């Protein structure tokens, strides 16, 4: 199997370390104590194939750092997509407490409301979440993705096509050594 696909490039020179503060986290550039990307994975929550999936899912956060041209292409397609833009703006109105969540009828509690402006929130958080949501939609091994449905995502055909290409690379990549993820540092 070819090893120079998107995920082999994203995971090149990335440390994988244990994590106990949540499910997973990524540090890159200024956030990282080493200056190099680190993916933290909770070993108590993820093992085997689920851990491999989570490492790859967290690697998507490195797109903007390691594959800036692809990230820019996806981001620009999203910003040209009126269907996606309306969805992103509706989501922002929910997370800032402007409107209740239509799924629950509840508003986000004030202490948990988004404080960043739309552009910063979208660029730093939401867009990565949507990419991961498309790729990992419905995956029972990843708790935050169980209820995503890529067929029902509010995105137009151009953006869907670009996301689908990334998803196919995601699905085709397997870790070296008979599917084992990189060894976690202790």
């Amino acid at each position: 199997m070819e090893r120079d696909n998107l995920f082999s490039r994203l995971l090149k020179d990335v440390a994988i370390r244990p994590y106990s503060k949540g499910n997973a986290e990524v540090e890159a550039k200024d956030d990282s104590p080493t200056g190099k990307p680190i993916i933290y994975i909770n070993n108590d929550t993820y093992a085997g194939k689920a851990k491999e999936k989570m490492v790859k899912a967290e690697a998507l956060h490195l797109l903007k750092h390691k594959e800036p041209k692809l990230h820019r292409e996806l981001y620009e397609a999203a910003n040209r997509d009126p269907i996606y833009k309306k969805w992103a703006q509706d989501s922002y109105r929910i997370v800032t407490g402007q409107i209740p969540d239509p799924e629950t009828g509840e508003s986000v509690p004030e202490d948990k409301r988004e404080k960043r402006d739309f552009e910063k929130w979208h660029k730093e958080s939401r867009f990565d979440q949507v990419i991961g949501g498309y790729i990992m939609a419905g995956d029972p091994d990843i708790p935050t993705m169980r209820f995503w449905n890529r067929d029902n995502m509010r995105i137009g055909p151009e953006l869907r096509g670009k996301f689908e290409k990334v998803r196919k690379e995601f699905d085709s990549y397997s870790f070296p050594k008979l599917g084992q993820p990189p060894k976690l540092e202790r």
Side-chain angles (χ1 to χ4, degrees), residues 99-140:
I99 61 172
D101 185 330
E103 292 178 16
T104 65
E106 301 289 323
S107 291
V108 173
E110 194 161 336
D111 63 326
K112 294 184 179 184
R113 291 181 182 170
E114 180 58 53
K115 306 291 186 241
R116 295 171 287 186
D117 67 34
F118 174 82
E119 289 302 322
K120 188 169 185 153
W121 167 80
H122 183 249
K123 196 167 202 163
E124 292 177 359
S125 296
R126 179 60 177 183
F127 190 62
D128 284 354
Q129 180 186 33
V130 170
I131 294 170
Y134 184 90
I135 291 169
M136 304 292 293
D139 193 311

Side-chain angles (χ1 to χ4, degrees), residues 63-108:
L63 267 174
K64 63 185 81 151
H65 305 292
K66 297 187 113 193
E67 296 285 328
K69 182 179 177 190
L70 173 60
H71 186 269
R72 186 173 45 256
E73 185 180 305
L74 293 169
Y75 194 75
E76 288 171 356
N79 282 318
R80 285 191 302 270
D81 184 337
I83 299 167
Y84 171 79
K85 285 298 282 190
K86 181 172 181 343
W87 181 34
Q89 290 164 349
D90 289 347
S91 296
Y92 183 72
R93 291 175 60 216
I94 293 167
V95 300
T96 56
Q98 296 174 43
I99 61 172
D101 185 330
E103 292 178 16
T104 65
E106 301 289 323
S107 291
V108 173

